[in-house]
């Protein structure tokens, strides 16, 4: 590091000392903390607390300024860089922002129940999340290698099935679900056979 510092100084390039760290196994990077020993990305606690506070405030309102909505969405988007699976629960926020015809930041946007449902889900997650995420695997195994296949039907008379490594299972939707909105939630229905496969 000292050799690099000397080289840069010899060429007259300025060094921001407050942003110069290393070599180290734990460094702040783009708002996150990277730990290369534990192979983790850590979201700073103050950002998580800020997001919790803003989502809690959002749930108490019927309308919110466009600027505030964009700010909350941006903060969720920031966190989702460390938690890729959370991106699915930001889409409705983006959709709401895109639906606003008046792009003035002080414009009040009516919050729909879908956005509030996702905000509530984020809050439930943040209450138990410690801000630490492992680096994702570079190579994901395909279904063909795992021999894992699942499928679900939205038809009330059918159900779902799972095949894993030579074993299979099926599950018929309970009669009580026929009159409930559960069968319209395809994300949930697709998750059920995956859980079934864990027991094969």
């Amino acid at each position: 590091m000292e050799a690099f510092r000397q080289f840069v100084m010899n060429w007259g390039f300025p060094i921001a000392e407050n942003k110069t760290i290393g070599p180290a196994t734990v460094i702040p990077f783009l708002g996150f903390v990277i730990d290369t020993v534990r192979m983790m990305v850590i979201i700073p606690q103050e950002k998580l607390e800020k997001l919790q506070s803003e989502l809690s405030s959002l749930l108490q309102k019927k309308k919110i300024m466009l600027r505030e909505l964009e700010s909350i969405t941006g903060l969720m988007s920031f966190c989702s860089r460390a938690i890729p699976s959370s991106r699915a629960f930001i889409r409705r926020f983006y959709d709401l922002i895109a639906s606003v015809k008046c792009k003035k930041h002080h414009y009040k946007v009516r919050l729909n129940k879908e956005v509030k449902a996702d905000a509530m889900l984020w809050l439930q997650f943040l209450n138990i999340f410690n801000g630490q995420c492992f680096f994702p695997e570079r190579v994901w195994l395909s279904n063909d290698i795992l021999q894992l296949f699942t499928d679900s039907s939205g038809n009330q008379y059918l159900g779902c099935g799972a095949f894993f490594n030579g074993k299979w299972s099926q599950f018929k939707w309970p009669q009580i679900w026929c009159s409930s909105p559960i069968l319209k939630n395809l994300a949930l229905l697709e998750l059920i056979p995956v859980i079934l496969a864990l027991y094969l």
Side-chain angles (χ1 to χ4, degrees):
M1 185 66 184
E2 194 54 44
F4 173 76
R5 188 190 300 270
Q6 193 61 48
F7 173 80
V8 169
M9 288 176 67
N10 288 342
W11 282 90
F13 293 107
I15 294 179
E17 294 294 343
N18 61 325
K19 294 185 178 179
T20 304
I21 299 173
T25 58
V26 179
I27 60 168
F29 182 72
L30 298 177
F32 297 101
V33 175
I34 309 294
D35 186 332
T36 57
V37 173
R38 295 190 296 162
M39 299 296 283
M40 297 184 91
V41 178
I42 301 163
I43 303 171
Q45 193 61 36
E46 62 268 18
K47 289 194 183 292
L48 294 175
E49 288 172 1
K50 181 182 179 185
L51 181 56
Q52 276 182 302
S53 172
E54 292 189 5
L55 287 172
S56 296
S57 175
L58 177 143
L59 287 171
Q60 305 303 316
K61 300 176 181 178
K62 291 184 178 179
K63 290 185 176 182
I64 189 173
M65 280 197 294
L66 179 60
R67 178 177 58 238
E68 292 176 79
L69 181 61
E70 289 172 334
S71 173
I72 293 170
T73 307
L75 195 49
M76 288 191 296
S77 180
F78 167 81
C79 291
S80 74
R81 287 189 286 172
I83 321 162
S85 57
S86 67
R87 289 182 190 141
F89 303 99
I90 308 174
R91 171 53 43 204
R92 288 167 170 170
F93 283 80
Y94 283 124
D95 289 344
L96 183 57
I97 291 170
S99 71
V100 177
K101 293 179 180 177
C102 178
K103 297 300 179 184
K104 294 180 179 177
H105 290 301
H106 62 271
Y107 181 78
K108 291 263 188 171
V109 181
R110 182 174 294 279
L111 297 168
N112 57 41
K113 62 181 181 180
E114 291 82 13
V115 163
K116 286 196 170 186
D118 280 352
M120 198 170 294
L121 190 69
W122 267 86
L123 273 178
Q124 289 172 353
F125 172 70
L126 290 171
N127 283 334
I128 58 170
F129 179 56
N130 64 4
Q132 300 179 358
C133 312
F134 286 102
F135 290 174
E137 294 289 338
R138 280 182 171 270
V139 179
W140 286 62
L141 297 177
S142 70
N143 287 4
D144 291 332
I145 294 172
L146 289 174
Q147 282 295 293
L148 171 63
F149 304 93
T150 63
D151 198 14
S152 288
S153 169
N155 188 310
Q156 62 180 337
Y157 301 110
L158 298 176
C160 65
F163 177 91
F164 179 52
N165 203 21
K167 298 177 181 177
W168 66 272
S169 178
Q170 64 87 28
F171 176 71
K172 188 177 186 304
W173 302 139
Q175 191 66 34
I176 195 170
W177 286 12
C178 297
S179 57
S180 75
I182 292 175
L183 291 180
K184 294 180 181 177
N185 189 337
L186 286 179
L188 174 64
L189 297 182
E190 291 288 355
L191 180 62
I192 293 170
V194 175
I195 295 170
L196 271 180
L198 295 175
Y199 291 92
L200 291 177

